[in-house]
């Protein structure tokens, strides 16, 4: 009961406490004068009446003492709270302005003097709205009206300095509530100049970092300790097809591993890879496969370096990678060049050693006379095989030393037609139909006609030999206006070539035919490359082969 009364007394204001004490004293005195003293007992016993008066006096004195102590303590608490509030108000680094409901300035603190540069704004300027930079006036007025109705507001606006320039600030409007009524608004202004300068510096550094990241030719991306991407440069976009927005915050499984047919990521071993990259030591992987957005892979060399905070805490990893497709292609070309050099040296020696006795054998074979049909058959077989040896020797000689080329402008259509006429009998014997689709307006090319014809003969002979059961050999020649290359395609319906063998075509001594040497196709590649073009072979086993030869044009299309 006493604790309840104590709590109720604490909640009373100073005025209510004094009024309650006076009312209690008057009540006690009234009870004594009008209720107790008129009683017969107290009339007949004056001592009892005196004792009652003394008791009431002591009670009132004790109550007055206690009340005075409570009032003094309450006054001290109020004074302390007032001083605390005044200290907070006066020494707060932000500018604080006490405003009326009409936006009149009632009081300010020292922070407002430093922020806006005036000493006594309440005297020199009576309205907050006159301090607002004109572009922010309507916005500030709107937020003030909302705050004056009881809702705090937070926004940015510029206020005019005493010297006339605008000061960007972060503004907070808080309603001032007294006895449950809104009597004004507090305006708290935080200087944003230093913050804006820091933000500009951060933005500048961010742009510089982005410029550096996007200017390098290597792909660079960063991941945090959970394996999620935190930055991704333009080179990484170009190499993988993944855009920045698609990769930020995502895991790297889609890059490191291909997607399954169901759309899920093949996460096996990915965790190990992430764990390896998140070690605190840099590591270099000389050769690996990264995967593009379209599901295709490309060979890369990459280095992972840890990102460490100043206290040594691991923040993530930076991965720098580069596409080594061209490097591998160059290595293959170097190996192929070494092979060609060795073949050339070997071919020169073999051709020299074989050609002389071969000439003698062919000469003496001509002198031999056949005395019977059987001997005649043997001589024909020997002559045919000697002819084949001579053909191989000539191919060796073509490989071993450069041939003199005479470039003149020619139409590819004419070369194709003459080649078709040459091989037409062989095609008819094998039940093969040769169909040509040649654009009559094809531009001319600068070429050695005999060498280009040799290439066409080799390609067509390979196609005819591949169609053992007959079929159609289609020859197309076309030119696209936006393309500076003339394309000739040979499409057969032969047995085709497996995907494992396609990359090896053109290498010396590699052939898909039982009695082939591989030199013919190698010579074709060299001739086309010498003409500034390229040859591409596409094939599917059991469906056929397409050989596309591209040659640079030297004139506009024939009208």
């Amino acid at each position: 009961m006493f604790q309840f009364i104590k709590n109720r007394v604490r909640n009373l204001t100073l005025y209510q406490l004094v009024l309650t004490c006076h009312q209690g004293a008057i009540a006690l005195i009234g009870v004594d004068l009008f209720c107790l003293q008129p009683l017969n007992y107290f009339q007949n016993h004056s001592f009892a009446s005196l004792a009652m008066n003394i008791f009431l006096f002591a009670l009132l004195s004790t109550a007055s003492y206690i009340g005075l102590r409570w009032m003094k303590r309450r006054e001290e608490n109020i004074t302390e709270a007032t001083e605390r509030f005044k200290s907070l108000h006066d020494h707060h680094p932000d500018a604080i302005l006490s405003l009326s409901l009409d936006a009149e300035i009632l009081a300010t603190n020292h922070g407002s003097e430093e922020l806006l540069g005036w000493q006594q704004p309440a005297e020199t300027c009576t309205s907050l709205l006159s301090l607002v930079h004109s572009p922010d006036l309507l916005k500030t007025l709107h937020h003030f009206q909302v705050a004056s109705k009881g809702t705090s507001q937070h926004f940015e606006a510029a206020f005019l300095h005493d010297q006339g320039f605008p000061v960007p600030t972060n503004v907070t409007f808080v309603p001032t509530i007294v006895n449950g009524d809104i009597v004004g608004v507090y305006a708290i202004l935080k200087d944003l100049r230093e913050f804006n300068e820091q933000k500009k510096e951060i933005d500048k550094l961010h742009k510089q970092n982005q410029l550096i990241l996007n200017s390098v030719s290597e792909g660079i991306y960063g991941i945090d300790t959970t394996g999620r991407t935190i930055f991704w440069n333009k080179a990484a976009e170009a190499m993988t097809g993944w855009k920045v927005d698609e990769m930020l915050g995502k895991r790297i499984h889609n890059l490191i591993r291909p997607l399954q047919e169901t759309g899920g990521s093949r996460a096996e071993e990915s965790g190990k890879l992430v764990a390896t990259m998140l070690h605190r030591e840099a590591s270099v992987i000389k050769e690996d496969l990264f995967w593009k957005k379209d599901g295709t892979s490309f060979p890369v060399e990459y280095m992972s370096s840890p990102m460490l905070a100043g206290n040594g805490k691991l923040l993530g990893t930076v991965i720098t990678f580069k596409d080594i497709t061209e490097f591998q292609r160059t290595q293959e070309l170097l190996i192929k060049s070494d092979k060609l050099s060795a073949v050339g040296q070997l071919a020169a020696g073999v051709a020299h050693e074989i050609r002389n006795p071969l000439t003698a054998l062919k000469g003496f074979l001509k002198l031999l006379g056949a005395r019977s049909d059987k001997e005649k058959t043997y001589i024909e077989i020997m002559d045919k095989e000697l002819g084949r040896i001579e053909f191989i020797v000539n191919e060796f000689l073509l490989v071993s030393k450069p041939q003199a080329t005479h470039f003149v402008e020619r139409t590819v259509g004419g070369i194709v037609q003459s080649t078709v006429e040459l091989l037409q009998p062989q095609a008819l014997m094998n039940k093969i139909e040769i169909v040509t689709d040649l654009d009559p307006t094809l531009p001319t090319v600068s070429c050695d006609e005999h060498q280009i014809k040799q290439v066409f003969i080799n390609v067509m002979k390979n196609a005819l030999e591949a169609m053992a059961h007959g079929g159609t050999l289609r020859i197309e020649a076309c030119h696209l206006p936006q393309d500076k290359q003339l394309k000739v395609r040979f499409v057969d319906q032969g047995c085709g070539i497996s995907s494992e063998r396609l990359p090896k075509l053109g290498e010396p001594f590699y052939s898909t035919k039982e009695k082939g040497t591989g030199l013919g196709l190698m010579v074709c590649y060299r001739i086309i490359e010498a003409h500034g073009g390229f040859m591409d072979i596409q094939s599917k086993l059991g469906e056929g082969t397409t050989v596309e030869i591209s040659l640079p044009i030297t004139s506009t299309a024939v009208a």
Side-chain angles (χ1 to χ4, degrees):
M1 184 65 181
F2 178 76
Q3 186 65 31
F4 173 75
I5 296 174
K6 187 176 181 181
N7 291 336
R8 290 296 300 271
V9 171
R10 282 181 178 176
N11 294 330
L12 297 176
T13 63
L14 189 60
Y15 169 76
Q16 291 172 335
L17 184 60
V18 173
L19 181 60
T20 301
C21 290
H22 280 79
Q23 289 175 344
I26 292 172
L28 289 175
I29 294 172
V31 169
D32 180 46
L33 292 177
F34 298 107
C35 296
L36 298 180
Q37 293 299 331
L39 295 176
N40 293 329
Y41 178 79
F42 287 103
Q43 292 290 335
N44 298 327
H45 299 82
S46 58
F47 178 77
S49 176
L50 180 62
M52 177 59 69
N53 290 333
I54 292 173
F55 172 75
L56 290 175
F57 177 77
L59 181 61
L60 290 173
S61 298
T62 304
S64 299
Y65 175 75
I66 294 173
L68 288 173
R69 285 191 61 186
W70 278 352
M71 284 187 286
K72 184 177 181 181
R73 190 176 302 166
R74 178 65 60 84
E75 184 180 4
E76 289 175 353
N77 291 338
I78 293 174
T79 302
E80 181 181 355
T82 302
E83 290 180 355
R84 285 176 179 273
F85 174 78
K86 189 175 185 303
S87 176
L88 174 65
H89 178 274
D90 292 342
H91 298 96
H92 197 283
D94 297 335
I96 301 176
L97 293 82
S98 178
L99 310 173
S100 69
L101 291 176
D102 296 325
E104 300 296 324
I105 299 176
L106 303 178
T108 63
N109 69 339
H110 299 301
S112 60
E113 300 173 9
E114 297 178 2
L115 178 66
L116 301 176
W118 28 249
Q119 297 298 323
Q120 294 178 334
E123 298 178 3
T124 60
C125 180
T126 57
S127 176
L128 174 74
L129 300 179
S130 63
L131 300 176
V132 181
H133 191 39
S134 55
D136 298 327
L137 183 59
L138 292 178
K139 177 173 64 174
T140 304
L141 179 60
H142 167 73
H143 287 291
F144 179 82
Q145 291 173 344
V146 175
S148 64
K149 294 179 181 179
T151 305
S152 299
Q153 298 292 294
H154 190 75
F155 63 100
E156 292 185 5
F159 286 78
L160 294 175
H161 192 271
D162 190 50
Q163 297 180 3
F165 59 86
V167 179
T169 61
N170 193 310
V171 185
T172 301
F173 282 155
V174 181
T176 305
I177 301 175
V178 178
N179 294 328
D181 297 326
I182 300 174
V183 298
V185 174
Y186 274 113
I188 305 173
L189 313 181
K190 185 175 184 63
D191 192 352
L192 292 180
R193 285 176 293 185
E194 183 177 354
F195 173 78
N196 288 343
E197 288 299 322
Q198 292 176 350
K199 185 178 179 182
K200 288 180 181 178
E201 189 64 25
I202 292 173
D203 290 342
K204 180 181 177 182
L205 292 174
H206 177 71
K207 289 179 180 178
Q208 288 177 348
N209 289 336
Q210 285 298 119
L211 184 62
I212 294 172
L213 283 175
N214 293 331
S215 63
V216 296
S217 59
E218 290 85 2
I220 301 176
Y221 68 95
I223 58 175
D224 59 18
T225 53
T226 65
R228 298 185 182 276
T229 309
I230 54 179
F231 59 84
W232 187 265
N233 75 338
K234 293 292 183 182
E237 279 189 4
M239 280 189 269
T240 65
W242 293 100
K243 299 296 182 182
V244 175
D245 296 339
E246 296 174 314
M247 289 304 294
L248 290 181
K250 305 292 178 61
R251 295 185 180 275
I252 61 172
H253 299 317
N254 290 345
L255 177 64
I256 303 301
R257 311 294 284 169
L259 296 178
Q260 295 178 337
E261 294 180 358
T262 58
S265 178
R266 294 180 180 172
E268 65 269 18
E269 301 181 3
S270 296
K272 296 180 180 179
L273 180 59
V274 173
T276 301
M277 289 191 292
L278 290 178
H279 284 322
R280 293 175 180 266
E281 295 182 358
S283 61
V284 178
I285 307 299
K286 288 295 184 181
E287 186 175 345
D288 201 353
L289 287 179
F290 277 7
W291 297 85
K292 298 182 180 180
K293 185 178 180 179
D294 60 7
T296 59
S297 63
F298 62 101
V300 296
E301 176 185 346
Y302 70 90
M303 179 179 70
S304 59
S305 305
M307 289 188 294
L308 302 175
N311 58 1
K313 181 181 178 181
L314 183 65
L315 302 177
T317 301
V318 178
I319 295 91
T320 305
F321 65 93
K322 60 181 179 180
D323 189 343
I324 59 173
T325 302
E326 289 299 324
F327 174 76
Q328 290 183 343
R329 191 174 297 163
T330 302
Q331 292 295 105
E332 291 174 0
L333 289 175
L334 288 174
I335 294 173
K336 191 173 182 179
S337 177
D338 290 341
K339 287 183 179 180
L340 289 174
S341 177
V343 168
Q345 296 176 8
L346 177 64
V350 171
H352 178 73
E353 294 296 330
I354 294 178
R355 199 169 192 181
N356 290 336
L358 182 63
T359 303
L361 287 173
K362 289 188 69 176
F364 281 107
L365 187 62
K366 296 292 183 183
L367 296 177
L368 291 176
R371 288 175 292 184
S372 64
D373 292 338
K374 190 175 183 180
E375 289 182 357
K376 183 180 180 180
T377 301
Y378 292 157
I379 291 174
E380 288 176 353
I381 293 173
M382 293 170 63
D383 185 59
K384 183 178 179 181
E385 294 302 320
L386 288 173
R388 175 166 174 77
I389 294 173
E390 186 177 25
F391 173 77
I392 295 174
V393 169
N394 289 333
E395 286 194 333
F396 272 130
L397 290 175
L398 185 62
V399 171
S400 65
K401 63 179 182 179
Q403 303 295 308
T405 55
H406 303 282
F407 286 90
V408 293
E409 288 195 9
R410 289 287 184 268
T411 59
V412 172
I415 303 175
V416 171
Q417 289 290 4
S418 63
T419 307
V420 170
E421 292 174 1
L422 181 65
L423 296 177
Q424 188 69 48
Q426 182 180 347
L428 293 175
M429 289 176 59
N430 295 329
K431 298 180 181 180
I432 298 172
E433 180 184 5
I434 301 177
V435 179
T436 59
D437 182 9
L438 308 176
D439 187 350
T441 63
L442 288 174
T444 60
V445 296
S446 178
C447 65
D448 185 314
E449 182 176 355
H450 297 291
Q451 289 189 357
I452 295 297
K453 191 171 183 179
Q454 180 184 351
V455 171
F456 290 171
I457 290 173
N458 283 339
V459 172
M460 289 180 65
K461 285 183 66 177
N462 288 338
L464 296 177
E465 292 173 2
M467 292 188 286
H469 304 290
T472 301
L473 172 60
R474 186 174 184 84
I475 305 173
E476 305 170 351
C478 62
H479 166 252
L480 298 177
Q482 68 273 16
D483 197 354
K484 295 183 179 181
Q485 298 280 335
L486 185 147
K487 300 183 183 298
V488 183
R489 295 188 187 92
F490 299 85
V491 185
D492 67 46
Q493 298 176 342
C495 56
I497 305 169
S498 64
S499 57
E500 294 81 8
R501 291 188 172 190
L502 277 175
K504 297 182 179 181
L505 295 180
E507 293 185 3
F509 305 120
Y510 183 84
S511 176
T512 59
K513 295 183 290 186
E514 183 179 353
K515 296 184 178 180
T517 62
L519 298 176
L521 200 54
M522 184 188 72
V523 170
C524 291
Y525 272 107
R526 290 187 60 178
I527 291 174
I528 297 301
E529 290 174 359
H531 281 72
F534 56 90
M535 188 164 67
D536 179 61
I537 301 177
Q538 301 293 330
S539 183
K540 287 187 177 180
L541 199 62
E543 295 184 11
T545 303
T546 299
V547 179
E548 183 177 274
I549 298 172
S550 298
L551 295 170
I553 62 173
T554 57
S555 69
T556 57
V558 178

